[in-house]
């Protein structure tokens, strides 16, 4: 299922934990769909993530949705999804080293 179709479904059904419809479109998918969506987000950002073994919706920061994912091949990543669908990613290792835990809810 593509993100666009999932977005339409989540908007119609108003499913998901976030105020962010793009985040909800990912959240309502099963683990395989979520893994594929995050792999695409990572690829679009110029990073590798063949598949995910763990994901956590951390919460909303305003209209942005915060996620942490564990890529089987590249480790833990923080993903921020804007209300426009734009994303920002950061490797969790430097965040953890700076005292900002990646695997806690906001």
């Amino acid at each position: 299922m593509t993100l666009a179709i999932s977005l339409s479904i989540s908007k119609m059904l108003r499913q998901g934990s976030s105020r962010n419809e793009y985040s909800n479109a990912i959240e309502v998918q099963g683990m395989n769909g979520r893994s594929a969506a995050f792999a695409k987000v990572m690829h679009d950002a110029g990073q590798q993530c063949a598949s995910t073994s763990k994901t956590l919706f951390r919460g909303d920061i305003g209209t942005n949705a915060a996620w942490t994912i564990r890529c089987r091949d590249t480790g833990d990543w923080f993903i921020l999804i804007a209300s426009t669908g734009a994303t920002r990613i950061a490797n969790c290792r430097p965040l953890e080293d700076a005292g900002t835990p990646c695997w806690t809810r906001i």
Side-chain angles (χ1 to χ4, degrees), residues 4-21:
I5 292 171
S6 296
L7 180 59
S8 296
I9 291 169
S10 70
K11 283 173 89 171
M12 285 186 330
L13 301 176
R14 296 176 197 235
Q15 294 179 326
S17 304
S18 179
R19 291 184 297 267
N20 182 303
E21 61 191 48

Side-chain angles (χ1 to χ4, degrees), residues 29-40:
Q29 297 183 45
M31 184 59 181
N32 289 337
R34 226 179 350 265
S35 183
F38 282 125
K40 180 169 179 9

Side-chain angles (χ1 to χ4, degrees), residues 5-85:
I5 292 171
S6 296
L7 180 59
S8 296
I9 291 169
S10 70
K11 283 173 89 171
M12 285 186 330
L13 301 176
R14 296 176 197 235
Q15 294 179 326
S17 304
S18 179
R19 291 184 297 267
N20 182 303
E21 61 191 48
Y22 292 94
S23 175
N24 289 340
I26 293 171
E27 183 182 6
V28 299
Q29 297 183 45
M31 184 59 181
N32 289 337
R34 226 179 350 265
S35 183
F38 282 125
K40 180 169 179 9
V41 166
M42 294 293 289
H43 178 267
D44 290 351
Q47 300 294 330
Q48 275 191 269
C49 182
S51 65
T52 60
S53 61
K54 181 178 177 182
T55 63
L56 172 67
F57 170 65
R58 296 187 60 200
D60 288 328
I61 303 170
T63 58
N64 301 310
W67 284 83
T68 299
I69 66 170
R70 176 164 293 148
C71 294
R72 294 184 195 278
D73 53 344
T74 59
D76 295 351
W77 294 86
F78 172 77
I79 298 177
L80 191 66
I81 305 172
S83 61
T84 61

